[in-house]
Amino acid sequence: MSSLVIRNSLTKKKELFRPWKEDSKSVTCYICGPTVYDSAHVGHARNYLSFDTIRRILEGYFGFEVELQMNVTDVDDKIIKKSKELQEDFCTLSGRYEREFWEDLDKLNCLPPTYITRVTDYIPEIINFIEKLVERGYAYEAGGSVYFDVQTFTQAGFKYGQLEQTSVGDIERLMEGEGSWASQQARLEKKSAGDFALWKRSQEDEPGWSSPWGYGRPGWHVECSTMASCIFGSHVDMHCGGEDLRFPHHENEIAQSEAYFEKNEWVKFFLHSGHLHIEGLKMSKSLKNFITIRSILERYTPRQLRLFILQHHYAARMNYSEQGMQEAVNVEKFFAEFFRNFFALEREYKKHGKFLGGRKFRESGLCMEFRKRKEEIHEAFCDDFDTPAVIRSLQALVKTTNLYIQTETNNDMDITLMRNIVRYVTKILTILGLGRPSSEESGFWDEVPLQKSSNEEFINGLIDIFVDLRDRIRGLLIPLLKQWQKKSFNAEMSRSDYDSESIFVCVLIHIIIFLFRIARFFSEELDACFESFKEKIWLLKDNEDLQAESKKLFVSFRSQQSHETEKCLDELLNLLVKDIESLLTTEMCISKTSGIVSGLYRIKTVVFQFVKWTFNFFQEFSVIKVSQEDLKSFLSHFLQFLETDEESEMKRQLLLATMEWLPRQFVHLAKCVVEELDDIRDKKLIEYGIRIEDSGKGSRWKIEDPEELKREMVAKAQQESAKLEEKKKRQEEAQKRLLEELNRGRVPPGEMFKQGDWQGHFSKYDADGVPTHDIENNEIPKSQRKKLIKEYEKQRKLHEKYLHSMNKF
């Protein structure tokens, strides 16, 4: 496999990465830190997130141990200037912005440096460093300041301009590196314009420290060389910083350090992050496109910002834009949804106790894709930390896995393979600073889903119970509502999920009690023994002969077509009524018993339609609770039904009315329950970050950000409101057009040419009222006559429509 190669700014080419110490897994790395005089901006975020990612890759993927040192420039010309403007002590100012800087990096999930070195803590070491350069002739004192002698350095055999040779003579850039010290006086003090300050004399109102050359403060470049040397010695494996620091800052660091140690190659690898622009322009306060890290994090998450930066190679120029950030948001959602879908699928497998092993050779295509993407990601990491290529390969792997989940059935899926893919994706995202800190968990690091909490089994089980119950209720009620809407009361409902025993209990207990509730209204004596009768009914469940016969009939009931269903249910009701007769006879001796049973036989012809349609609903909600008034209304239909002749039209109408009345009693309840279930899904559960996705295969729940779910629901409500408003608008416009048409249609077609805009244009008309001559009694030409006839036909149709609308009232 490939080994890590890095583009070295010193050599301008990619080189195999090896630390100074051969075969060592320890890497020393120095990164230029902030000058703390203002809030950190998106350029800082790009720089530090890029090198934080490189550090994570070196440690998490390649197995190196990185010692990272970062400096903090807490005294500088910019800090002094800002403190004077605010009339604030420079230490207080720099301390405040430094705290803000570390808070920002912590929010961005940047790993803390191994060593943090501040300029004000290293003043003695900086003075000693400069003294040594002066002693060796590489620096000279002038007017209380000390300058590095570039000419002496190059004459000693060292090279100046290793990073950017073309900029060595660029005096303007050299002066930028000197800050406010680039005064005319300082230029006169230097031996050469290319020399740079190591120690700057301070004015009385400026901070400073005593030194062999007088009261002053360190130059910008020397602080990094000194502090890096104090921690790492004469060699540094890797030095990182922004592209804008390449010259003169890093160039001067190299010169100072090599002169101090009198050795070439102070740094083995120099890495520079690319320039950052805002919407195509260089970031500048004057252009009002200066964006702080804190302002970005008010609109986007740290992970979204990191994803945006990761989609650019660290050394490439990066353009910050709202479009680019939105793309990063979409990438985050893409990975997050992948994790949530897998968590939900994994829960379903565990809930049903499915074996989690692999399936022999079945997933060879997904396995090959997995291997291919892992190889691509390895090559991308090895090729100068190519994070954009890593993200693309991860996305491709996730897309293929999603397609696999969509195309395979639950029984054919290899959950173990998918789990390994999820863990790998999590591992790579974690290496990039996006995933979880623990390798034992999957998903993103700032999500703490319920399934990973300490009471995982309890919470998962609780949610599963609720979702399963909700699915069963919806499965019963939604088909009921659809059938009601279609006015189809004979349609079969799916019973494949019910075993014969549970169906037997449902039919035997609930139908008998339902029939008895009807029957007891024929006799006050039956009403008196209702409770005792119910107890007798429940004893029937232990009657083995009755169970066997009922189960056999019900198996037939389930398997037959619709025309056989009536016969099966009829036989079952006959069996049940027979047992009712037996129970009634033993319960009390009354003369009306036989008549009651006879009435039940007649009733069952209609009841089976109702039972066939709603018996699943009975099973879920136990005994049906019907009010006395509803039952009396129901019985009033049947009393009339029983008293009419067999073939009468009245009997047919009563039968239809009864069949419509029965399901109507449950439709309102069904709608209320379904609405309540949807309310739980859409309002109550999102407060806890639980999303339920309903489908024909059942519901699936996921854990998400509650605020994101709320925003989605608000957007959904707004869309629904907009749709309703648009529908209302269309209806109003249609109504308006209709009224306009009806208003035009009020005029009979034979009268239209004699009034309105037509009035005064014609002198003669035919029998229908269509003009034949104009006002000057000239015969109307055939072409014009055809147009008039066409107008006549339009008005005739409008008038007919108008008359039809009037007839409705």
Side-chain angles (χ1 to χ4, degrees), residues 368-519:
M368 291 175 63
E369 174 74 5
F370 191 16
R371 294 192 196 100
K372 174 186 175 182
R373 300 306 176 186
K374 286 198 290 186
E375 290 173 2
E376 287 179 354
I377 289 170
H378 176 76
E379 293 298 322
F381 276 141
C382 289
D383 186 15
D384 196 23
F385 313 106
D386 190 354
T387 57
V390 172
I391 297 295
R392 289 194 298 270
S393 293
L394 281 180
Q395 287 177 292
L397 175 59
V398 169
K399 286 179 182 177
T400 304
T401 308
N402 285 339
L403 182 62
Y404 168 77
I405 293 173
Q406 294 169 7
T407 55
E408 293 290 331
T409 63
N410 283 349
N411 291 332
D412 291 333
M413 267 185 223
D414 186 344
I415 194 71
T416 302
L417 175 59
M418 287 188 289
R419 178 181 289 161
N420 289 332
I421 290 174
V422 170
R423 285 176 175 171
Y424 176 77
V425 172
T426 300
K427 172 187 172 183
I428 300 303
L429 291 176
T430 302
I431 288 171
L432 296 176
L434 300 165
R436 293 187 180 279
S438 171
S439 60
E440 297 178 357
E441 298 179 353
S442 299
F444 279 139
W445 60 269
D446 60 352
E447 289 180 337
V448 185
L450 293 177
Q451 69 265 21
K452 295 301 178 186
S453 61
S454 58
N455 53 351
E456 171 185 348
E457 292 185 10
F458 171 77
I459 294 177
N460 280 355
L462 193 63
I463 297 175
D464 283 338
I465 289 171
F466 167 76
V467 173
D468 288 346
L469 176 60
R470 183 176 176 275
D471 276 349
R472 290 199 299 273
I473 295 173
R474 291 178 77 252
L476 294 171
L477 298 186
I478 290 177
L480 183 73
L481 292 172
K482 287 182 178 178
Q483 290 176 26
W484 172 252
Q485 290 170 352
K486 294 178 181 178
K487 301 297 182 182
S488 173
F489 307 117
N490 298 324
E492 289 285 341
M493 295 176 66
S494 172
R495 304 172 185 85
S496 59
D497 294 334
Y498 296 88
D499 56 71
S500 58
E501 176 132 7
S502 65
I503 295 175
F504 166 72
V505 172
C506 166
V507 175
L508 181 65
I509 304 300
H510 295 303
I511 293 182
I512 290 177
I513 292 176
F514 182 73
L515 291 175
F516 188 80
R517 283 183 172 218
I518 297 169

Side-chain angles (χ1 to χ4, degrees), residues 62 72 139 150 186 216 238 242 246 352 382 395 421 454 485 525 532 632 650 677 693 719 725 762 766 777:
F62 292 105
V72 176
V150 174
M238 184 182 294
R246 185 196 295 261
H352 294 100
C382 289
Q395 287 177 292
I421 290 174
S454 58
Q485 290 170 352
E525 295 169 287
S532 175
K632 287 179 180 179
M650 175 67 74
L677 293 175
E693 294 178 346
Q719 290 175 356
E725 189 65 30
F762 310 105
D766 63 13
N777 209 30

Side-chain angles (χ1 to χ4, degrees), residues 167-339:
S167 297
V168 170
D170 191 334
I171 302 301
E172 184 177 348
R173 293 186 66 184
L174 285 167
M175 292 302 100
E176 285 179 5
E178 296 290 75
S180 62
W181 191 250
S183 61
Q184 184 64 33
Q185 181 63 33
R187 294 185 186 188
L188 294 174
E189 292 174 350
K190 294 181 183 181
K191 293 180 180 180
S192 172
D195 296 346
F196 53 90
L198 300 175
W199 186 262
K200 303 176 181 179
R201 68 177 181 274
S202 296
Q203 303 299 322
E204 292 183 358
D205 62 342
E206 295 177 342
W209 290 263
S210 297
S211 76
W213 317 285
Y215 183 71
R217 59 185 185 277
W220 177 33
H221 315 300
V222 74
E223 65 186 53
C224 290
S225 296
T226 302
M227 291 187 287
S229 301
C230 288
I231 301 298
F232 295 137
S234 59
H235 291 292
V236 179
D237 292 318
M238 184 182 294
H239 193 309
C240 304
E243 176 75 15
D244 56 319
L245 300 181
R246 185 196 295 261
F247 186 89
H249 183 58
H250 289 163
E251 193 67 57
N252 291 347
E253 279 189 61
I254 294 172
Q256 294 163 158
S257 300
E258 290 185 350
Y260 180 82
F261 292 109
E262 293 193 319
K263 292 180 181 179
N264 290 311
E265 294 187 304
W266 170 56
V267 172
K268 193 167 187 179
F269 287 88
F270 246 109
L271 280 72
H272 289 96
S273 59
H275 289 298
L276 179 130
H277 285 206
I278 307 294
E279 301 288 356
L281 299 174
K282 185 176 180 180
M283 185 170 61
S284 170
K285 289 184 177 180
S286 61
L287 295 175
K288 297 182 179 180
N289 64 351
F290 185 87
I291 306 176
T292 65
I293 293 175
R294 298 200 165 191
S295 65
I296 292 177
L297 296 184
E298 290 176 358
R299 291 176 293 153
Y300 301 103
T301 67
R303 185 166 61 225
Q304 289 164 355
L305 180 57
R306 185 181 281 261
L307 265 170
F308 171 72
I309 290 172
L310 285 171
Q311 291 181 90
H312 301 78
H313 190 272
Y314 78 91
R317 171 181 165 176
M318 189 180 86
N319 182 48
Y320 177 89
S321 66
E322 290 302 312
Q323 180 182 351
M325 283 301 301
Q326 190 55 51
E327 290 173 1
V329 170
N330 294 335
V331 172
E332 179 193 43
K333 289 181 178 178
F334 173 77
F335 285 118
E337 188 65 13
F338 172 65
F339 290 133

